[in-house]
Amino acid sequence: MAASAVCRAANAGSRVLLRTRRSSSVLSSPFQQPALLKSPALRGIATFAQALQSVPETQVSLLDNGLRVASEQSSHATCTVGVWIDVGSRYETEKNNGAGYFVEHLAFKGTKNRPGNALEKEVESMGAHLNAYSTREHTAYYIKALSKDLPKAVELLADIVQNCSLEDSQIEKGRDVILRELQEYDTSMRDVVFDYLHATAFQGTPLAQAVEGPSGNVRKLSRADLTEYLSQHYKAPRMVLAAAGGVDHRQLVDLAQKHFGSVSGTYTEDAVPTLSPCRFTGSQICHRDDALPLAHVAIAVEGPGWTNPDNVALQVANAIIGHYDCTYSGGVHLSSPLASVAVANKLCQSFQTFSICYAETGLLGAHFVCDGMSIDDMMFFLQGQWMRLCTSATESEVLRGKNTLRNALVSHLDGTTPVCEDIGRSLLTYGRRIPLTEWESRIAEVDAQAVREVCSKYFYDQCPAVAALGPIEQLPDYNRIRSGMFWLRF
C-alpha cells in the first residue's frame, strides 16, 4: 500500500482515534489524568492526532464528459497541477509496446498550437517546471508554477494532452532520443533487474512488458500507431485533473470545463480497453556478467493489488525488515535484524524491501546488492527473516514497524508536487482519496498476530520469482531458493 491519501480528518476516524485514548483504564482516573497529560509521550500522541485532523480537505468534482477534477487547497504561494491518465504499458500489445512512452516524450516537442520551442519558452517565461512520466498502469503530465499562473498551467496541460504534435520530423527526433535513453537505461543495474523481475514473474502477460518498450518497436512505431494509441486511451473518464497548493477548487473546475470539456468520453463500438488478468509465475531469470563489480538480486512473491486490505499489514512487515546501505551509521545496533546481520557479516552493500502494487496483483519482496561471494548467505538470512515473521513476529517489532510506516505516511507528502501526485494516483487506483485518519486506524489495528497471518499467507511455502544480474555464480539453484520459503519443524 502506498501512503496515497491525505484528506480532512473523517469524523468517524477521529472519534475512533480519540475514543481509544479516552477509554484507557489509566486515563479514566481523574486523579492520575493531570500527571499523565504532562507526559511528553502523550503530548506527542495528541499532536499527531491533531495533525491528522488539520490536513486540508480534498475536493472532487465530475465534469459532464466523465473527467474528474480534484484539489487540495493550502497556503502555498505555488501550486502543482497535472493530468493523471489511467493508461500505461499494461494496455499495450507486443506490437505497439512503448507507444505510451513515445507519446509522453513528444509532449515536450511542442503541440499543434505551440510548435517547436514555443512550448518550452512559454513554460520558462512563467518560471514553471513541466514534467511527465509513465508507469505500467498510469501516465502523468504536471506543471509546478506560481499560484497566480494556474489558468495558464491548465491551458498548457490541455494543449499537451489534446494537441500533441505528431509531425514526422518530431517523431524521428523523438525516436533518436528514446534510443539513446535506452542505452543509458541499460547502465542502471537496479532498473534492469526490476525489468527482469517483471519479465519472469508476469511472463506471457502485459505486465511483463517494459514501459519504454524494446528498441525494435521504437524504431518501427509510426505516426499512425501513435495516433491510434491516443484516440483509444486518452479519454475523459480515464483522466484526473489534480491540483495542490494555492488553488481554488471552483476556479479549477471552471478551467477544466473550459479547456478539457471537449475531451471525448465515448468509445466507438467495442473499443473500450479492458485489463486482462495477469498471472504470476514462480520462476528465475539470470544474467551473469562477471565484469560487473557487484551482483544485483531481486526476489519477490505475488503481492496484493492496490485495494486489498492485506496491504497495511504487509507494509508493516516490510518496515520491520527495513532497508540498509553501507553508508548508514549504527552498525550492528541498527533496529532491523537483517541490517544488523548484514553489517556483522559484511553481507551486502545495500538492501531494500518493496511492495509494488497493480490493479489486481503485485510484487512483494526485496532487492539487494552484494559481492558475488555473499549471495548465498544474503539470500539465506533474507528468507530466514521472512520465515521468522511468519512464525514468531513480536509485538515490540510490530510497534516499531507501525511507527516507521506512520512516519513514511506523513513525511512523503511534503510539498505541492507529491500531494498533487498522491491525489491523481489515488483517484485512479482507489476511486477516492483515503483520509489520513483512515490509514491511521488501519495501521493501529495491526498486531503481531495479523503480521504472522498475512506473512504466512503471502510468503510461507510460496514460489518466488527471482531476477539476478552481475557476478552471480554463487546464486543458489531455484529449487534451493524455493526450499527456503518454508521451515521443517519437528
Side-chain angles (χ1 to χ4, degrees):
M1 176 222 45
S4 53
V6 180
C7 295
R8 183 175 56 185
N11 291 333
S14 305
R15 286 195 296 270
V16 170
L17 209 62
L18 298 175
R19 190 188 310 122
T20 300
R21 297 186 180 102
R22 285 199 297 266
S23 64
S24 167
S25 59
V26 178
L27 288 179
S28 63
S29 169
F31 301 102
Q32 298 177 13
Q33 186 172 357
L36 286 172
L37 287 178
K38 295 177 182 179
S39 165
L42 289 183
R43 285 204 304 271
I45 293 174
T47 302
F48 181 66
Q50 293 168 1
L52 298 182
Q53 300 175 61
S54 64
V55 176
E57 177 186 9
T58 298
Q59 301 180 68
V60 182
S61 300
L62 183 68
L63 301 187
D64 293 338
N65 60 359
L67 185 141
R68 287 165 287 181
V69 183
S71 68
E72 177 186 294
Q73 185 174 8
S74 64
S75 58
H76 285 82
T78 61
C79 69
T80 300
V81 59
V83 181
W84 271 258
I85 309 172
D86 193 17
V87 62
S89 61
R90 184 174 182 178
Y91 291 89
E92 299 167 356
T93 64
E94 289 186 15
K95 179 182 177 182
N96 72 347
N97 181 209
Y101 189 72
F102 208 130
V103 168
E104 174 213 316
H105 272 61
L106 291 179
F108 298 94
K109 303 301 180 182
T111 68
K112 297 175 183 177
N113 300 323
R114 295 173 171 84
N117 296 327
L119 175 63
E120 182 179 348
K121 291 179 179 178
E122 194 162 349
V123 173
E124 288 180 351
S125 67
M126 295 165 54
H129 176 70
L130 171 65
N131 208 344
Y133 66 85
S134 301
T135 68
R136 283 177 167 81
E137 288 188 336
H138 301 148
T139 299
Y141 304 88
Y142 60 92
I143 296 177
K144 183 176 179 65
L146 295 174
S147 297
K148 66 180 181 64
D149 291 325
L150 177 65
K152 176 60 69 174
V154 174
E155 180 190 348
L156 289 173
L157 286 171
D159 197 20
I160 290 170
V161 172
Q162 300 175 72
N163 303 305
C164 180
S165 175
L166 296 178
E167 297 178 1
D168 291 335
S169 60
Q170 295 295 346
I171 290 176
E172 292 306 317
K173 290 180 181 178
R175 200 188 310 276
D176 292 338
V177 170
I178 294 174
L179 289 173
R180 286 197 300 271
E181 286 184 357
L182 289 178
Q183 292 177 344
E184 296 174 2
Y185 180 85
D186 288 341
T187 64
S188 173
M189 299 300 104
R190 185 183 185 278
D191 293 336
V192 171
V193 83
F194 270 92
D195 270 353
Y196 283 167
L197 185 64
H198 280 81
T200 192
F202 298 112
Q203 53 188 278
T205 73
L207 277 178
Q209 299 174 155
V211 174
E212 301 81 3
S215 57
N217 278 12
V218 175
R219 293 186 176 92
K220 292 187 297 184
L221 285 171
S222 64
R223 180 178 182 180
D225 296 325
L226 302 180
T227 302
E228 180 184 3
Y229 181 87
L230 286 170
S231 62
Q232 184 178 13
H233 296 291
Y234 279 39
K235 299 289 187 179
R238 300 172 66 181
M239 294 183 182
V240 173
L241 179 66
V247 296
D248 177 72
H249 185 71
R250 186 67 258 171
Q251 180 190 20
L252 184 65
V253 173
D254 292 341
L255 290 169
Q257 185 63 54
K258 177 181 178 180
H259 297 293
F260 287 91
S262 60
V263 177
S264 173
T266 60
Y267 292 88
T268 58
E269 300 178 358
D270 298 328
V272 180
T274 57
L275 281 177
S276 57
C278 291
R279 69 181 183 278
F280 177 91
T281 303
S283 52
Q284 179 174 280
I285 183 171
C286 299
H287 179 177
R288 180 176 173 182
D289 186 351
D290 292 341
L292 295 176
L294 297 170
H296 290 252
V297 181
I299 176 172
V301 293
E302 182 175 15
W306 281 106
T307 58
N308 194 308
D310 292 337
N311 265 315
V312 178
L314 288 173
Q315 288 287 350
V316 172
N318 270 352
I320 292 172
I321 295 177
H323 52 87
Y324 166 74
D325 188 274
C326 60
T327 60
Y328 290 178
S329 60
V332 296
H333 305 293
L334 291 167
S335 58
S336 163
L338 182 58
S340 180
V341 171
V343 172
N345 298 279
K346 298 181 180 179
L347 295 180
C348 67
Q349 296 289 312
S350 65
F351 74 80
Q352 174 72 56
T353 56
F354 60 83
S355 179
I356 304 172
C357 292
Y358 297 108
E360 82 294 353
T361 187
L363 291 174
L364 177 69
H367 164 254
F368 60 87
V369 182
C370 67
D371 181 82
M373 301 307 294
S374 303
I375 300 175
D376 194 358
D377 288 339
M378 186 62 196
M379 185 70 75
F380 172 81
F381 283 110
L382 170 62
Q383 290 182 290
Q385 285 299 311
W386 283 341
M387 296 304 100
R388 187 184 64 79
L389 291 180
C390 294
T391 59
S392 52
T394 65
E395 292 292 351
S396 61
E397 63 184 354
V398 169
L399 178 60
R400 174 175 61 82
K402 289 161 65 173
N403 288 335
T404 300
L405 185 57
R406 288 186 177 104
N407 178 66
L409 184 72
V410 178
S411 62
H412 92 285
L413 295 175
D414 184 18
T416 61
T417 300
V419 171
C420 182
E421 180 181 4
D422 194 67
I423 295 172
R425 188 178 61 245
S426 295
L427 263 67
L428 291 181
T429 55
Y430 300 111
R432 66 186 181 107
R433 196 168 184 218
I434 300 176
L436 193 57
T437 49
E438 184 175 334
W439 285 125
E440 163 58 23
S441 64
R442 293 185 187 184
I443 294 172
E445 291 172 357
V446 177
D447 56 16
Q449 180 63 27
V451 171
R452 289 193 294 266
E453 289 177 356
V454 78
C455 286
S456 295
K457 177 180 177 181
Y458 287 91
F459 287 112
Y460 201 86
D461 202 19
Q462 299 297 316
C463 295
V466 182
L469 169 65
I472 55 172
E473 180 182 5
Q474 203 196 50
L475 181 72
D477 175 76
Y478 181 80
N479 289 326
R480 184 176 166 196
I481 295 175
R482 176 64 180 84
S483 68
M485 300 302 291
F486 61 88
W487 278 351
L488 292 177
R489 291 185 160 188
F490 300 96

